Every structure is written in C-alpha cells, then in structure tokens.
Amino acid sequence: MLTAKEKSLLSALEPRAASEGVEIVTLEIVGSKKAPTIRVYIDAAGGISFDELARTQAWVGDVMDELDPFPGAYMLEVSSPGIDRPLRTPEHFARFASETVTVKTTGPIDGRSSFTGELLGFEDGCVMVAADGAGTFRIPYDNIKKARVKGTIDFSA
C-alpha cells in the first residue's frame, strides 16, 4: 500500500507521533518528482483540532527538515483523515469492522479488483468484506492497494 519512500518517512515519524499522542493514519507522496507533496494524515482519540494540526505540522516539518527526503523543494500537508478515512494497518481493519468500505486490490480476487461493502474485520492475514450482496470476500492483506472507509452523512439527524 505504501512505497518504500513512504514507508521510510512513516517509520521516521511514528515514534514522535506516539510521544505527541497522535496516530499517523497514513502518509502519501503525490505530485511531480521535481516538487512533490508529502501528505500526512493524523488522528487522535478525541479527534483533531486546528491547534493539533498546527502543532503536528510544526514537528513533522522539523523531522522532514532533518531527513531532507527530496533534493530541492517539496510541500508538506498535515490533515485529519476526513470522512473517507484511509485504512492501512491490520489494526485499522479490525477497529473499523461494521463500517462500509471500499477496497482496491493489486490483482483480481474471484475476478474482481474493487470491493465495496461491510468490513467484517481482519482474520488470518486477510481483510474480510461482505461486498455488494455477492458474498464474503477474503482479501489477502498483501494484495490491498488502497482501502478507505466509505463516509456517509446522515442529514435526518
């Protein structure tokens, strides 16, 4: 799910994040090679405030300055995971069981590589999804390209 560079940056940030009381949900590098953008998505038990984003942006910026991950300029964005929260770790798949998710795979499983449905959890190295009324699919964790909670908004409340 993450490139080698993304994994390296994530590994460098996670210890500090733990000491700061935030979770790095995921990290991605997007944009051109000449001027990439590093996006760091964070969360915390009580949610993420604007002040928490600003504090985190500051120390993540300091860590990135020390690492100097790219020659030349790059942009840094720190944000909350949003309504369509990315799922990256086995713990994420266990924690968000019963949510509606979208999962894209690196290769086909039972003839398909995109699944939308209820997340049933994580078991024996597989993500379990009851997809589109087509039954339950066991998706090997190593075969997942991208996974997200499918955000919903209830306007009736």
Side-chain angles (χ1 to χ4, degrees):
M1 293 199 312
L2 299 178
T3 66
K5 178 70 114 182
E6 290 167 339
K7 287 178 186 176
S8 170
L9 295 177
L10 185 65
S11 294
L13 292 172
E14 283 183 322
R16 176 73 183 266
S19 73
E20 296 285 340
V22 297
E23 171 196 9
I24 298 181
V25 175
T26 196
L27 178 147
E28 63 183 0
I29 300 169
V30 297
S32 71
K33 291 186 183 223
K34 289 184 178 183
T37 299
I38 302 170
R39 291 187 182 143
V40 180
Y41 297 95
I42 62 168
D43 203 1
I48 296 296
S49 68
F50 182 76
D51 290 340
E52 186 63 53
L53 285 171
R55 275 192 300 276
T56 302
Q57 175 92 20
W59 66 257
V60 168
D62 291 344
V63 172
M64 289 299 148
D65 287 347
E66 289 174 22
L67 293 173
D68 195 21
F70 297 101
Y74 64 89
M75 294 289 296
L76 175 63
E77 296 176 2
V78 176
S79 70
S80 71
I83 192 168
D84 292 328
R85 179 193 173 95
L87 302 172
R88 179 180 51 86
T89 67
E91 293 79 15
H92 290 166
F93 290 104
R95 184 183 339 156
F96 290 95
S98 81
E99 295 285 343
T100 300
V101 297
T102 59
V103 178
K104 301 209 181 293
T105 59
T106 57
I109 296 170
D110 294 334
R112 57 192 291 178
S113 57
S114 183
F115 303 85
T116 300
E118 181 183 357
L119 176 61
L120 302 176
F122 188 84
E123 180 181 295
D124 298 326
C126 291
V127 173
M128 312 291 287
V129 178
D132 307 324
T136 299
F137 292 87
R138 294 179 57 85
I139 304 167
Y141 178 70
D142 293 340
N143 196 6
I144 294 175
K145 181 178 185 178
K146 187 180 232 180
R148 294 186 173 275
V149 171
K150 188 173 182 184
T152 57
I153 299 173
D154 182 3
F155 290 106
S156 66

